[in-house]
Amino acid sequence: MNILLLGGGGREHAFARSIAQSKLCSQLFIAPGNPGTAQHGKNIAISATDFDAIKKCCIENKIELVVVGPEDPLVNGIYDFFIADGELKNIPVIGPSKDAAQLEGSKAFAKEFMQRHSIPTAAYQSFDVNSLEQGVEFIRTLITRVVLKADGLAAGKGVLICQTLEEAEEQFKEMLRGKFGAASERVVVEEFLHGIEMSVFVLTDGTNYLLLPTAKDYKRVGEGDTGLNTGGMGAISPVPFADEVLMKKICIRIIQPTIDGLQQDKLVYKGFIYFGLMIVHGEPLMIEYNCRMGDPETEAVLPRIECDLVELFMATANEKLIEKKIFISDKHAATVVLTSGGYPGLFEKGKKITAIESVEDSIVFQAGTKVNDGELQTAGGRVLAVTSLATTLEEALKISKTNADKIQFNNKYFRTDIGFDVLK
Ligand code: AMP
Ligand code: GLY
């Protein structure tokens, strides 16, 4: 069958690689894709949020399955757009409906969902400009550090962890006054949780789910988890401390109530759910939902899945996931992201990338790259993601770092300590 994949980052390169390996895939199209996805299919120069152009592309190329990488098209309602269109309604879209995508699109919606379905999470309240005074009062009741979250999508920048109550009050007011534009017209104020983060991913058909490999991403730019937040500087999979006992708690207390909650609330969901968790003294608490796979976690997770991904997608679309099993490699994956120096602040683009071909024993996923006059160049903050699989995490990390060293571009930067906190 012909498949259309939406998105154009490292996550989509990883998806493209796995989808192209499927015996069910005849032709893969990626919109807009990047030079990495072009190794596995045909890039189409349209935006992942241009629904009319996507419709045209689906009809022209006889697309039979659409896989959505990023959150924007989902939150904008691509699932519903297909269902509502006479010519598209029989093409399955892997991703949630617009209403269900609010689990990522609105932090207040997600928190209310967790509360309604008794899913453990940090204590919180949400406020808008009319309840500013109550918000300030609530902040004053929080003993620990305060976490402020813009309700809407803010490109990963809408979460502030405040060290003092004064800072929290000031930032809270600034957010309500438009610090993150419309995204912070509503602000979720929550208690700070001390613990260790991890991510769990499932693929669900709305009734059943398959548990994908666990992962941990490293969001801070600096070694030892210091400095500014980024889109993600690396990832590992599996998470070594996620033993059977913890995973059982996560399934019983968080994943199953989420699936049941979606059904009770009549939220149509056929796609990936990303559970961002904080493990506090061995107990899992929900931090956030994403309605898609993570980036760079996907680059660590997908290479460990040893079954036909497209078969799983079709079972998802046909509500037959119960009949499917997932096979996961015992190997450890370590992904190291190579960024343009300066990211997540100002950085330069258009630097020539060389020596990718000298990489051995790793997969190089392309994220922010472009081809200019036949030359591969940097085109974003996160440029490449180097993934290695090995018997131990230490070994996988060593291979990724060796190869990250070999690849060259001006002002290249990467963290050498991905996984440091679980290796200690
Ligand atoms: P979110 O966009 O909700 O995932 O928040 C971004 C990051 O902020 C998370 O990955 C955590 O590192 C941190 N964070 C969010 N909420 C909390 C919390 N309640 N306690 C501690 N850290 C948090
Ligand atoms: N790596 C975190 C995310 O994709 O949101």
Side-chain angles (χ1 to χ4, degrees):
M1 69 174 83
N2 291 351
I3 301 174
L4 174 65
L5 168 65
L6 298 182
R11 167 183 49 213
E12 286 72 29
H13 186 176
F15 268 125
R17 176 178 173 270
S18 294
I19 291 171
Q21 285 169 1
S22 165
K23 61 178 189 309
L24 296 178
C25 177
S26 1
Q27 252 197 307
L28 173 64
F29 298 86
I30 311 98
N34 67 33
T37 64
Q39 296 165 9
H40 306 286
K42 184 167 188 274
N43 287 347
I44 310 268
I46 55 177
S47 152
T49 48
D50 185 345
F51 293 178
D52 291 328
I54 290 168
K55 172 175 177 176
K56 202 163 148 257
C57 165
C58 284
I59 292 168
E60 269 172 25
N61 296 299
K62 301 193 167 51
I63 297 298
E64 293 171 83
L65 172 69
V66 176
V67 181
V68 187
E71 62 276 20
D72 295 6
L74 294 165
V75 172
N76 292 351
I78 189 143
Y79 182 93
D80 311 64
F81 176 81
F82 271 65
I83 296 278
D85 188 294
E87 289 175 283
L88 302 178
K89 65 174 192 281
N90 294 322
I91 306 175
V93 174
I94 300 303
S97 63
K98 183 174 184 172
D99 286 347
Q102 287 300 301
L103 283 181
E104 173 162 6
S106 163
K107 300 224 185 255
F109 178 93
K111 294 293 283 193
E112 283 156 23
F113 179 91
M114 293 175 214
Q115 202 170 43
R116 189 161 59 246
H117 300 293
S118 306
I119 295 164
T121 185
Y124 82 102
Q125 284 188 29
S126 70
F127 304 94
D128 61 18
V129 76
N130 299 317
S131 50
L132 190 146
E133 287 309 318
Q134 290 97 306
V136 170
E137 272 170 41
F138 179 65
I139 288 172
R140 290 181 183 155
T141 68
L142 293 172
I143 309 158
T144 59
R145 279 181 273 177
V146 176
V147 184
L148 302 176
K149 301 185 174 185
D151 179 50
L153 292 182
K157 297 192 177 74
V159 174
L160 301 179
I161 295 174
C162 304
Q163 304 300 329
T164 63
L165 288 184
E166 292 72 34
E167 185 192 347
E169 278 189 38
E170 193 177 315
Q171 290 297 332
F172 173 68
K173 288 177 188 163
E174 275 189 33
M175 283 171 88
L176 286 181
R177 288 183 194 128
K179 184 177 174 114
F180 300 107
S184 66
E185 277 171 8
R186 194 162 192 87
V187 175
V188 167
V189 180
E190 70 179 42
E191 66 172 334
F192 181 85
L193 298 172
H194 285 276
I196 184 158
E197 281 186 75
M198 64 175 282
S199 308
V200 172
F201 308 94
V202 305
L203 182 62
T204 183
D205 60 10
T207 310
N208 292 287
Y209 70 88
L210 286 177
L211 194 57
L212 308 187
T214 56
K216 194 169 189 319
D217 79 334
Y218 292 82
K219 288 203 182 83
R220 308 289 283 275
V221 71
E223 308 262 319
D225 283 347
T226 53
L228 294 174
N229 256 324
T230 70
M233 298 297 297
I236 59 163
S237 176
V239 176
F241 60 79
D243 57 14
E244 231 173 275
V245 175
L246 178 59
M247 289 311 293
K248 206 167 165 189
K249 288 179 186 170
I250 292 171
C251 289
I252 293 174
R253 298 180 195 170
I254 293 175
I255 300 177
Q256 194 59 52
T258 298
I259 306 289
D260 295 344
L262 289 169
Q263 285 188 324
Q264 281 165 28
D265 295 351
K266 302 207 168 20
L267 295 169
V268 177
Y269 207 121
K270 293 180 179 185
F272 293 101
I273 313 179
Y274 168 135
F275 298 82
L277 306 172
M278 186 74 82
I279 312 302
V280 181
H281 304 301
E283 308 301 332
L285 286 112
M286 266 302 284
I287 291 195
E288 65 159 351
Y289 289 109
N290 289 325
C291 60
R292 47 156 180 103
M293 286 294 290
D295 192 352
E297 294 96 321
T298 306
E299 291 95 302
V301 163
L302 287 189
R304 295 187 58 231
I305 297 182
E306 294 178 331
C307 42
D308 189 318
L309 202 56
V310 179
E311 271 185 25
L312 298 185
F313 288 153
M314 290 317 288
T316 302
N318 297 325
E319 298 177 32
K320 294 258 164 60
L321 263 190
I322 194 162
E323 295 170 7
K324 291 286 170 194
K325 274 206 160 62
I326 185 161
F327 297 93
I328 297 173
S329 160
D330 288 336
K331 289 198 171 151
H332 289 254
T335 301
V336 172
V337 174
L338 277 58
T339 65
S340 302
Y343 170 79
L346 292 178
F347 57 86
E348 290 177 19
K349 299 180 194 173
K351 307 291 178 198
K352 181 177 179 182
I353 304 170
T354 56
I356 289 194
E357 61 291 344
S358 69
V359 167
E360 283 172 76
D361 304 321
S362 295
I363 314 166
V364 181
F365 294 114
Q366 299 192 25
T369 61
K370 65 175 177 202
V371 174
N372 195 6
D373 278 340
E375 182 178 285
L376 187 66
Q377 298 182 349
T378 65
R382 293 191 291 172
V383 179
L384 302 166
V386 178
T387 296
S388 314
L389 295 176
T391 319
T392 64
L393 175 57
E394 287 90 336
E395 208 183 321
L397 193 58
K398 195 167 148 222
I399 304 169
S400 288
K401 281 195 294 193
T402 303
N403 285 318
D405 265 327
K406 283 188 194 166
I407 298 170
Q408 295 301 327
F409 57 86
N410 205 299
N411 259 330
K412 172 187 76 176
Y413 170 76
F414 62 93
R415 268 181 69 171
T416 62
D417 69 338
I418 299 305
F420 77 101
D421 51 344
V422 300
L423 287 172
K424 269 190 299 208

